[in-house]
Amino acid sequence: MSEIVYGLHAVEVLLKRNSKSVERLFIQSNRHDQRAHKLVKLAQEKNIPVTQKSREELDEMTDQRHQGVIAISLQKKQKNYHEKHIPELLNELEESPFILILDGVTDPHNLGACLRSADAAGVHMVIAPKDNAVGITDVVRKVACGAAESVPFIQVTNLVRTMKVLQEHGVWIAGTAGEAEQDIYQANLKGGLAIVMGAEGDGMRRLTRENCDFLIKIPMAGEVSSLNVSVATGVTLFEAVRQRSS
């Protein structure tokens, strides 16, 4: 089954990381800029056919903002992980687990940005509930810039049960909440760790909060009371990275 990947950065990442899955590259006929030439050169080096199409023809292929670049991929670029794979993934690790849990993120742009931050921070897996949360979509892949293919993304039927599995494997779970007594710079974020980020607006659900080992917050100095979930994810993950590398 084929699928389309669109956008300059997303297509570039695909050509670099998984070129064998690419059947054809489509470039807008009037694009003669350096970035377009770079993609054409990459495709030609990997013997991938390149076809020029008008903007109108590309618009018919997707209603998303394609930036004049579309690739056709013949296979799934990401392994389909199931919650049963979590213990296996944990046992395979040669370092302390570092996990991101997203409790009900519904915006594909936010999920894509969270995956991108998770990839950059070296997160081993991202876990999210199946219900009332967005999964991997074309928009998520584009925003993630390749991270949707590199970080295991696991949707689970019961998040609290999954959290207990993590705890049984020595993973401490830190939930983010504005009313937490300690901030991310005071908390110990070393060792086996899962960071829980709540949904846009509502934050973590009650049962999720109650099953965390401790709560943390990002100190806010201005008038704004909270950050966008993807921004908060990046800030929190990289404070953990700083502590874990020191």
Side-chain angles (χ1 to χ4, degrees), residues 160-193:
V160 169
R161 182 175 63 203
T162 299
M163 291 167 67
K164 292 184 183 300
V165 171
L166 295 177
Q167 290 165 328
E168 290 169 0
H169 281 77
V171 177
W172 288 79
I173 299 180
T176 53
E179 69 275 15
E181 294 184 0
Q182 59 180 342
D183 65 42
I184 60 174
Y185 306 112
Q186 299 167 331
N188 182 357
L189 303 180
K190 298 180 179 180
L193 177 71

Side-chain angles (χ1 to χ4, degrees), residues 18-83:
N18 197 13
S19 62
K20 292 182 179 178
S21 75
V22 182
E23 180 187 32
R24 185 173 294 272
L25 176 67
F26 295 98
I27 294 284
Q28 190 170 315
S29 54
N30 61 352
R31 283 210 65 150
H32 304 295
D33 55 282
Q34 186 175 355
R35 293 191 70 183
H37 283 300
K38 181 179 179 181
L39 293 182
V40 171
K41 184 179 179 182
L42 270 174
Q44 291 173 339
E45 288 174 351
K46 300 176 185 297
N47 297 316
I48 297 169
V50 179
T51 300
Q52 292 191 349
K53 281 184 175 289
S54 68
R55 177 62 182 263
E56 291 72 24
E57 289 175 312
L58 294 177
D59 288 344
E60 290 178 0
M61 296 177 67
T62 177
D63 58 1
Q64 302 295 330
R65 186 168 176 266
H66 52 70
Q67 299 177 297
V69 180
I70 293 177
I72 302 298
S73 176
L74 288 179
Q75 61 187 39
K76 288 283 186 179
K77 302 185 295 301
Q78 182 188 40
K79 178 179 177 180
N80 290 322
Y81 289 96
H82 187 271
E83 53 193 291

Side-chain angles (χ1 to χ4, degrees), residues 114-142:
C114 288
L115 288 171
R116 189 171 181 178
S117 293
D119 176 73
V123 165
H124 298 119
M125 68 183 86
V126 176
I127 297 172
K130 288 183 178 179
D131 295 331
N132 301 315
V134 67
I136 300 297
T137 66
D138 287 342
V139 173
V140 171
R141 287 193 179 95
K142 184 175 187 297

